[in-house]
């Protein structure tokens, strides 16, 4: 087990923008899809490592609401890979006490994917280990708009002037989990690309040039090490934090 295991400064909820599959493949003169396949191996490594070191929640950005704009062939292959992962990997997750959830608008996926998502969630829902959330057809802005609609549905007679951060937050994805405290983006870009824009208001950001298929235990250790050295002030002064 790694020396970072059970570190009191370890993040509770790691969110990852898994980027760089295409460039990983291009560097090797391989089709982009091979990069996505290798990316799935990295997902397995990272899930099992986060489980092992006792992270409460891991949220992975797998497909954004904007990724539909990619060439149809790539979108089709990503969908096949998503289905394959749901069919082949969920049993192992269940055995490892992982609870799997999917966020994002699943109605855009074909029936077979939707059925497999429902099955996977049902199979793992009472698991008490790592909460693994896959963001698929997810967009942070859509998440906020959906939350406002759900809030209104739940409170049809309430004046919108009474809408508060707390009351809206209840309808935002992942609100039952600790807030993501560490956001990792692989692939060298330093942007959020419409990921958990509400939830990450106070996340520590960690960007690495490592391409997602190369990502693994060592890289997570580096990110956690960087996280654990930072002073999280939440608007206060350094002196106030040190007094606590
Ligand atoms: C991330 O890798 C995977 C998805 C967005 C589905 P990319 O496919 O974006 O890889 P690059 O950025 O082109 O290297
Ligand atoms: C972000 O990666 C989305 C996922 C990792 C699923 P992109 O590769 O789509 O992001 P941009 O287009 O470079 O911002
Ligand atoms: Mg990319």
């Amino acid at each position: 087990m790694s020396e970072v295991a059970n570190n009191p400064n370890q993040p509770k909820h790691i969110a990852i923008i898994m980027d760089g599959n295409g460039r990983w493949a291009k560097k090797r003169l391989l089709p982009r899809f091979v990069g996505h396949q290798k990316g799935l191996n990295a997902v397995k490594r990272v899930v099992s490592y986060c489980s092992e070191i006792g992270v409460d929640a891991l949220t992975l950005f797998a497909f954004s609401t904007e990724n539909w704009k990619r060439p149809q062939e790539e979108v089709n292959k990503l969908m096949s890979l998503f289905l394959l992962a749901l069919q082949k990997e969920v049993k192992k997750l269940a055995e490892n006490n992982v609870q799997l959830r999917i966020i994002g608008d699943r109605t855009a996926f074909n029936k077979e994917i939707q059925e497999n998502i429902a099955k996977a969630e049902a199979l793992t829902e009472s698991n008490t280990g790592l909460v693994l959330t896959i963001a698929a057809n997810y967009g942070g802005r859509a998440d906020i708009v959906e939350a406002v609609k759900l809030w209104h549905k739940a409170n049809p007679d309430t004046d919108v002037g009474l809408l508060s951060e707390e009351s809206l937050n209840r309808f935002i994805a992942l609100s039952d989990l600790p807030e993501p405290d560490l956001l990792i983006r692989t692939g060298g870009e330093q942007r959020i690309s419409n990921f958990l824009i509400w939830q990450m208001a106070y996340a520590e950001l960690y960007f690495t040039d490592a391409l997602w298929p190369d990502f693994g235990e060592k890289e997570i250790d580096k990110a956690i090490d960087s996280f654990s050295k930072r002073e999280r002030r939440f608007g206060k002064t350094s002196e106030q934090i040190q007094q606590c």
Side-chain angles (χ1 to χ4, degrees), residues 53-112:
I53 63 175
V55 170
D56 294 342
L58 173 68
T59 300
L60 303 176
F61 202 8
F63 192 86
S64 74
T65 46
E66 291 74 29
N67 287 144
W68 297 108
K69 296 179 197 156
R70 293 193 176 195
Q72 191 59 45
E73 194 198 337
E74 179 167 350
V75 170
N76 292 345
K77 288 199 158 145
L78 283 166
M79 291 302 134
S80 308
L81 194 62
F82 187 27
L83 180 61
L84 188 82
L86 286 165
Q87 289 169 332
K88 283 192 61 184
E89 306 300 335
V90 172
K91 220 174 130 220
K92 267 174 262 163
L93 294 179
E95 285 164 9
N96 289 322
N97 200 21
V98 173
Q99 187 188 119
L100 177 68
R101 304 175 183 186
I102 310 294
I103 55 168
D105 179 8
R106 62 184 67 180
T107 64
F109 298 128
N110 71 33
K111 204 163 152 252
E112 203 180 4

Coordinates of all heavy atoms in Angstrom, one line a residue, residues 53-112:
I53 N -6.8 3.3 -1.1 CA -6.2 4.3 -0.1 C -7.4 5.0 0.6 O -7.1 5.9 1.4 CB -5.3 5.3 -0.8 CG1 -6.1 6.1 -1.9 CG2 -4.1 4.6 -1.4 CD1 -5.2 7.2 -2.5
G54 N -8.6 4.6 0.4 CA -9.7 5.1 1.3 C -10.2 6.4 0.9 O -10.8 7.1 1.7
V55 N -10.2 6.8 -0.4 CA -10.9 8.0 -0.9 C -12.4 7.7 -0.8 O -12.8 6.6 -1.1 CB -10.4 8.3 -2.3 CG1 -11.3 9.4 -2.9 CG2 -8.9 8.7 -2.3
D56 N -13.2 8.7 -0.3 CA -14.6 8.4 -0.2 C -15.3 8.4 -1.6 O -16.2 7.5 -1.9 CB -15.3 9.5 0.6 CG -14.9 9.5 2.0 OD1 -14.3 8.5 2.5 OD2 -15.1 10.5 2.7
A57 N -14.9 9.3 -2.5 CA -15.6 9.5 -3.7 C -14.7 9.8 -4.9 O -13.7 10.6 -4.7 CB -16.7 10.5 -3.6
L58 N -14.9 9.2 -6.0 CA -14.1 9.5 -7.2 C -15.1 9.8 -8.3 O -16.0 9.0 -8.6 CB -13.3 8.3 -7.6 CG -12.5 8.3 -8.9 CD1 -11.4 9.3 -8.8 CD2 -11.9 6.9 -9.2
T59 N -15.0 10.9 -9.0 CA -15.9 11.3 -10.1 C -15.1 11.5 -11.3 O -14.2 12.3 -11.4 CB -16.7 12.5 -9.7 OG1 -17.5 12.3 -8.5 CG2 -17.7 12.9 -10.8
L60 N -15.4 10.7 -12.4 CA -14.6 10.8 -13.6 C -15.5 11.3 -14.8 O -16.6 10.9 -15.0 CB -14.2 9.3 -14.0 CG -13.4 8.6 -12.9 CD1 -13.2 7.1 -13.3 CD2 -12.1 9.3 -12.6
F61 N -14.9 12.3 -15.5 CA -15.5 12.9 -16.6 C -15.2 12.0 -17.8 O -14.1 12.0 -18.3 CB -15.0 14.3 -16.8 CG -15.9 15.2 -17.6 CD1 -17.2 14.9 -17.9 CD2 -15.5 16.5 -18.0 CE1 -18.0 15.7 -18.6 CE2 -16.3 17.4 -18.7 CZ -17.6 17.0 -19.0
A62 N -16.2 11.3 -18.3 CA -16.0 10.3 -19.4 C -16.5 10.9 -20.8 O -15.9 10.6 -21.8 CB -16.7 9.0 -19.1
F63 N -17.6 11.7 -20.7 CA -18.1 12.2 -22.0 C -19.0 13.4 -21.7 O -19.9 13.4 -20.9 CB -19.1 11.1 -22.6 CG -19.5 11.3 -24.0 CD1 -18.6 11.0 -25.1 CD2 -20.7 12.0 -24.3 CE1 -19.0 11.2 -26.4 CE2 -21.0 12.2 -25.6 CZ -20.2 11.8 -26.7
S64 N -18.6 14.5 -22.3 CA -19.2 15.8 -22.0 C -20.4 16.0 -23.0 O -20.5 15.4 -24.0 CB -18.3 17.0 -22.2 OG -18.0 17.2 -23.6
T65 N -21.3 16.9 -22.6 CA -22.4 17.3 -23.5 C -21.9 17.8 -24.9 O -22.6 17.8 -25.9 CB -23.4 18.3 -22.9 OG1 -22.6 19.4 -22.3 CG2 -24.2 17.7 -21.7
E66 N -20.7 18.3 -24.8 CA -20.1 18.8 -26.1 C -19.4 17.8 -26.9 O -19.1 18.0 -28.1 CB -19.1 19.9 -25.7 CG -19.7 21.2 -25.2 CD -20.1 21.1 -23.7 OE1 -19.6 20.3 -23.0 OE2 -21.1 21.8 -23.4
N67 N -19.1 16.6 -26.3 CA -18.4 15.6 -27.1 C -19.2 14.9 -28.2 O -18.7 14.3 -29.1 CB -17.8 14.5 -26.1 CG -16.7 14.9 -25.3 OD1 -16.5 14.5 -24.1 ND2 -15.8 15.8 -25.9
W68 N -20.5 15.2 -28.2 CA -21.3 14.7 -29.4 C -20.9 15.4 -30.7 O -21.2 14.9 -31.8 CB -22.8 15.0 -29.2 CG -23.5 14.4 -28.0 CD1 -23.8 15.0 -26.8 CD2 -23.8 13.0 -27.8 NE1 -24.4 14.0 -26.0 CE2 -24.4 12.8 -26.6 CE3 -23.7 11.8 -28.7 CZ2 -24.9 11.6 -26.1 CZ3 -24.2 10.6 -28.2 CH2 -24.7 10.5 -26.9
K69 N -20.2 16.5 -30.6 CA -19.7 17.2 -31.8 C -18.6 16.5 -32.4 O -18.1 17.0 -33.5 CB -19.3 18.6 -31.4 CG -20.4 19.5 -30.9 CD -19.9 20.9 -30.5 CE -20.9 21.6 -29.6 NZ -20.1 22.6 -28.8
R70 N -18.0 15.5 -31.9 CA -16.9 14.8 -32.5 C -17.4 14.0 -33.7 O -18.6 13.8 -33.9 CB -16.3 13.8 -31.5 CG -15.6 14.6 -30.3 CD -14.7 13.7 -29.5 NE -14.1 14.6 -28.5 CZ -13.0 14.3 -27.8 NH1 -12.5 13.1 -27.9 NH2 -12.5 15.1 -26.9
P71 N -16.4 13.5 -34.6 CA -16.8 12.7 -35.7 C -17.7 11.6 -35.3 O -17.5 10.9 -34.2 CB -15.5 12.2 -36.3 CG -14.5 13.2 -35.8 CD -15.0 13.7 -34.5
Q72 N -18.8 11.3 -36.1 CA -19.7 10.2 -35.7 C -19.1 8.9 -35.4 O -19.4 8.2 -34.4 CB -20.7 10.1 -36.8 CG -22.0 9.2 -36.4 CD -22.7 9.8 -35.3 OE1 -23.0 11.0 -35.2 NE2 -23.1 9.0 -34.3
E73 N -18.0 8.6 -36.1 CA -17.3 7.3 -35.9 C -16.7 7.2 -34.5 O -16.8 6.2 -33.8 CB -16.3 7.1 -37.0 CG -15.8 5.7 -37.0 CD -14.4 5.5 -37.8 OE1 -14.1 6.4 -38.6 OE2 -13.8 4.5 -37.5
E74 N -16.1 8.3 -34.1 CA -15.5 8.3 -32.7 C -16.6 8.2 -31.7 O -16.5 7.5 -30.7 CB -14.6 9.6 -32.5 CG -14.0 9.6 -31.1 CD -12.9 10.6 -31.0 OE1 -12.5 11.2 -32.0 OE2 -12.5 10.8 -29.8
V75 N -17.7 9.0 -31.9 CA -18.8 8.9 -30.9 C -19.3 7.5 -30.8 O -19.5 7.0 -29.7 CB -19.9 9.9 -31.3 CG1 -21.2 9.7 -30.4 CG2 -19.5 11.4 -31.2
N76 N -19.5 6.8 -31.9 CA -20.0 5.5 -31.9 C -19.1 4.5 -31.2 O -19.5 3.7 -30.4 CB -20.2 4.9 -33.4 CG -21.3 5.6 -34.1 OD1 -22.1 6.3 -33.5 ND2 -21.3 5.5 -35.4
K77 N -17.8 4.7 -31.4 CA -16.8 3.8 -30.7 C -16.8 4.1 -29.2 O -16.7 3.2 -28.4 CB -15.5 4.0 -31.3 CG -15.4 3.4 -32.7 CD -14.0 3.1 -33.2 CE -14.1 2.0 -34.3 NZ -13.1 2.2 -35.3
L78 N -16.9 5.4 -28.8 CA -17.0 5.7 -27.4 C -18.2 5.1 -26.8 O -18.1 4.5 -25.6 CB -17.0 7.2 -27.2 CG -15.6 7.9 -27.4 CD1 -15.7 9.4 -27.5 CD2 -14.7 7.5 -26.2
M79 N -19.3 5.1 -27.5 CA -20.6 4.5 -26.9 C -20.4 3.0 -26.8 O -20.8 2.4 -25.8 CB -21.8 4.7 -27.9 CG -22.2 6.2 -27.9 SD -22.6 6.8 -26.3 CE -21.8 8.4 -26.3
S80 N -19.7 2.3 -27.8 CA -19.5 0.9 -27.7 C -18.6 0.5 -26.5 O -18.8 -0.4 -25.8 CB -18.8 0.3 -28.9 OG -19.5 0.7 -30.1
L81 N -17.6 1.4 -26.3 CA -16.7 1.2 -25.2 C -17.4 1.3 -23.8 O -17.2 0.6 -22.9 CB -15.5 2.1 -25.3 CG -14.3 1.8 -24.4 CD1 -13.7 0.5 -24.8 CD2 -13.2 2.9 -24.6
F82 N -18.3 2.3 -23.8 CA -19.1 2.6 -22.5 C -19.9 1.4 -22.2 O -20.0 0.9 -21.1 CB -19.9 3.8 -22.8 CG -20.7 4.3 -21.6 CD1 -20.2 4.1 -20.3 CD2 -21.8 5.1 -21.7 CE1 -20.9 4.6 -19.2 CE2 -22.5 5.6 -20.6 CZ -22.1 5.3 -19.3
L83 N -20.6 0.8 -23.3 CA -21.5 -0.3 -23.1 C -20.6 -1.5 -22.6 O -21.0 -2.2 -21.7 CB -22.2 -0.6 -24.4 CG -23.1 -1.8 -24.3 CD1 -24.3 -1.6 -23.3 CD2 -23.8 -2.1 -25.7
L84 N -19.5 -1.7 -23.3 CA -18.6 -2.9 -22.9 C -18.2 -2.8 -21.5 O -18.2 -3.8 -20.7 CB -17.4 -2.9 -23.9 CG -16.5 -4.1 -23.8 CD1 -17.1 -5.2 -24.6 CD2 -15.1 -3.7 -24.3
A85 N -17.8 -1.6 -21.1 CA -17.3 -1.4 -19.7 C -18.5 -1.7 -18.7 O -18.3 -2.3 -17.7 CB -16.8 0.0 -19.5
L86 N -19.7 -1.2 -19.0 CA -20.8 -1.5 -18.2 C -21.1 -3.0 -18.1 O -21.4 -3.5 -17.0 CB -22.1 -0.8 -18.7 CG -22.2 0.7 -18.5 CD1 -23.3 1.3 -19.4 CD2 -22.4 1.1 -17.0
Q87 N -20.9 -3.7 -19.2 CA -21.2 -5.1 -19.2 C -20.1 -6.0 -18.6 O -20.4 -7.0 -17.9 CB -21.4 -5.6 -20.7 CG -22.7 -5.1 -21.3 CD -22.8 -5.3 -22.8 OE1 -21.8 -5.4 -23.5 NE2 -24.0 -5.4 -23.3
K88 N -18.9 -5.5 -18.7 CA -17.8 -6.4 -18.3 C -17.2 -6.0 -16.9 O -16.6 -6.9 -16.3 CB -16.7 -6.4 -19.3 CG -17.0 -7.2 -20.5 CD -15.8 -7.5 -21.4 CE -14.7 -8.2 -20.7 NZ -13.5 -8.3 -21.6
E89 N -17.3 -4.8 -16.5 CA -16.5 -4.3 -15.4 C -17.3 -4.2 -14.1 O -16.8 -4.1 -13.0 CB -15.8 -3.0 -15.6 CG -14.9 -3.0 -16.9 CD -13.8 -4.0 -16.8 OE1 -13.4 -4.4 -15.7 OE2 -13.4 -4.4 -17.9
V90 N -18.6 -4.2 -14.2 CA -19.4 -3.8 -13.0 C -19.4 -4.9 -12.0 O -19.4 -4.6 -10.8 CB -20.9 -3.5 -13.5 CG1 -21.8 -3.3 -12.3 CG2 -20.9 -2.2 -14.3
K91 N -19.3 -6.2 -12.4 CA -19.3 -7.3 -11.5 C -18.1 -7.1 -10.5 O -18.3 -7.3 -9.3 CB -19.2 -8.6 -12.2 CG -20.1 -9.7 -11.6 CD -20.1 -10.9 -12.4 CE -19.8 -12.1 -11.5 NZ -19.0 -13.1 -12.0
K92 N -17.0 -6.7 -11.1 CA -15.8 -6.6 -10.3 C -15.9 -5.4 -9.3 O -15.5 -5.5 -8.1 CB -14.5 -6.3 -11.2 CG -13.8 -7.6 -11.5 CD -12.7 -7.3 -12.5 CE -13.1 -7.6 -13.9 NZ -12.3 -7.1 -15.0
L93 N -16.6 -4.3 -9.8 CA -16.8 -3.2 -8.9 C -17.7 -3.6 -7.7 O -17.4 -3.3 -6.6 CB -17.5 -2.1 -9.7 CG -16.8 -1.4 -10.8 CD1 -17.6 -0.3 -11.4 CD2 -15.5 -0.7 -10.2
A94 N -18.7 -4.4 -8.1 CA -19.7 -4.9 -7.0 C -18.9 -5.7 -6.0 O -19.1 -5.5 -4.8 CB -20.8 -5.7 -7.6
E95 N -18.0 -6.6 -6.4 CA -17.3 -7.4 -5.5 C -16.3 -6.6 -4.6 O -16.0 -7.0 -3.5 CB -16.4 -8.4 -6.3 CG -17.2 -9.5 -6.9 CD -16.5 -10.3 -8.0 OE1 -15.3 -10.1 -8.2 OE2 -17.2 -11.1 -8.6
N96 N -15.9 -5.4 -5.2 CA -15.0 -4.6 -4.4 C -15.7 -3.5 -3.6 O -15.1 -2.5 -3.1 CB -14.0 -3.9 -5.3 CG -13.0 -4.9 -5.9 OD1 -12.6 -5.9 -5.1 ND2 -12.6 -4.8 -7.1
N97 N -17.0 -3.7 -3.4 CA -17.8 -2.8 -2.5 C -17.9 -1.4 -3.1 O -18.1 -0.4 -2.3 CB -17.2 -2.8 -1.1 CG -18.3 -2.4 -0.1 OD1 -19.5 -2.4 -0.3 ND2 -17.8 -1.9 1.1
V98 N -17.7 -1.2 -4.4 CA -17.8 0.1 -5.0 C -19.2 0.4 -5.4 O -19.9 -0.5 -5.9 CB -16.9 0.2 -6.3 CG1 -17.1 1.5 -7.0 CG2 -15.4 0.0 -5.9
Q99 N -19.7 1.6 -5.1 CA -21.0 2.0 -5.5 C -20.9 2.8 -6.8 O -20.2 3.8 -6.8 CB -21.7 2.8 -4.4 CG -23.1 3.2 -4.7 CD -23.7 4.1 -3.7 OE1 -24.1 5.2 -4.1 NE2 -23.7 3.8 -2.4
L100 N -21.5 2.4 -7.8 CA -21.4 3.0 -9.1 C -22.6 3.9 -9.4 O -23.8 3.5 -9.3 CB -21.2 2.0 -10.2 CG -21.1 2.6 -11.7 CD1 -19.9 3.4 -11.9 CD2 -21.2 1.5 -12.7
R101 N -22.4 5.1 -9.8 CA -23.4 6.0 -10.2 C -23.1 6.7 -11.5 O -21.9 6.9 -11.8 CB -23.6 7.1 -9.2 CG -23.9 6.7 -7.8 CD -23.9 7.9 -6.9 NE -24.1 7.6 -5.5 CZ -24.3 8.5 -4.6 NH1 -24.3 9.8 -4.9 NH2 -24.4 8.2 -3.3
I102 N -24.1 7.0 -12.3 CA -23.8 7.8 -13.5 C -24.6 9.1 -13.4 O -25.8 9.1 -13.0 CB -24.4 7.0 -14.8 CG1 -23.9 5.5 -14.8 CG2 -24.0 7.7 -16.1 CD1 -22.5 5.3 -15.0
I103 N -23.9 10.2 -13.7 CA -24.6 11.5 -13.8 C -24.5 12.0 -15.2 O -23.6 11.7 -16.0 CB -24.0 12.6 -12.8 CG1 -22.4 12.7 -13.0 CG2 -24.3 12.2 -11.4 CD1 -21.9 14.0 -12.3
G104 N -25.4 12.9 -15.6 CA -25.6 13.4 -16.9 C -26.9 12.9 -17.5 O -27.6 12.1 -16.9
D105 N -27.2 13.5 -18.7 CA -28.5 13.1 -19.3 C -28.4 11.8 -20.0 O -28.0 11.7 -21.1 CB -28.9 14.2 -20.2 CG -30.3 13.9 -20.9 OD1 -30.9 12.9 -20.5 OD2 -30.7 14.7 -21.8
R106 N -28.9 10.7 -19.3 CA -28.7 9.4 -19.9 C -29.8 9.1 -21.0 O -29.7 8.1 -21.7 CB -28.8 8.3 -18.8 CG -30.1 8.3 -18.1 CD -30.1 7.3 -16.9 NE -29.2 7.7 -15.8 CZ -29.0 7.0 -14.7 NH1 -29.6 5.9 -14.6 NH2 -28.2 7.5 -13.8
T107 N -30.8 10.0 -21.1 CA -31.8 9.7 -22.1 C -31.3 9.8 -23.5 O -31.9 9.3 -24.4 CB -33.0 10.6 -21.9 OG1 -32.6 12.0 -22.2 CG2 -33.6 10.6 -20.5
A108 N -30.1 10.4 -23.7 CA -29.5 10.5 -25.0 C -28.9 9.2 -25.5 O -28.5 9.1 -26.6 CB -28.5 11.7 -25.1
F109 N -28.6 8.3 -24.5 CA -28.0 7.1 -24.9 C -29.0 6.0 -25.4 O -30.2 6.1 -25.1 CB -27.2 6.5 -23.7 CG -26.2 7.4 -23.1 CD1 -26.1 7.7 -21.8 CD2 -25.2 7.9 -24.0 CE1 -25.1 8.6 -21.3 CE2 -24.2 8.7 -23.5 CZ -24.2 9.0 -22.2
N110 N -28.5 5.1 -26.1 CA -29.4 4.1 -26.7 C -30.0 3.2 -25.5 O -29.5 3.2 -24.4 CB -28.8 3.2 -27.8 CG -27.7 2.3 -27.3 OD1 -27.8 1.8 -26.2 ND2 -26.7 2.1 -28.1
K111 N -31.0 2.4 -25.9 CA -31.8 1.7 -24.8 C -30.9 0.7 -24.1 O -31.0 0.6 -22.9 CB -32.9 1.0 -25.5 CG -34.1 0.6 -24.6 CD -35.3 0.3 -25.4 CE -36.2 -0.7 -24.6 NZ -36.2 -2.1 -25.0
E112 N -30.0 0.1 -24.9 CA -29.2 -1.0 -24.2 C -28.2 -0.3 -23.2 O -28.1 -0.9 -22.1 CB -28.3 -1.7 -25.3 CG -27.9 -3.0 -24.9 CD -27.1 -3.7 -26.0 OE1 -26.8 -3.1 -27.1 OE2 -26.7 -4.9 -25.8

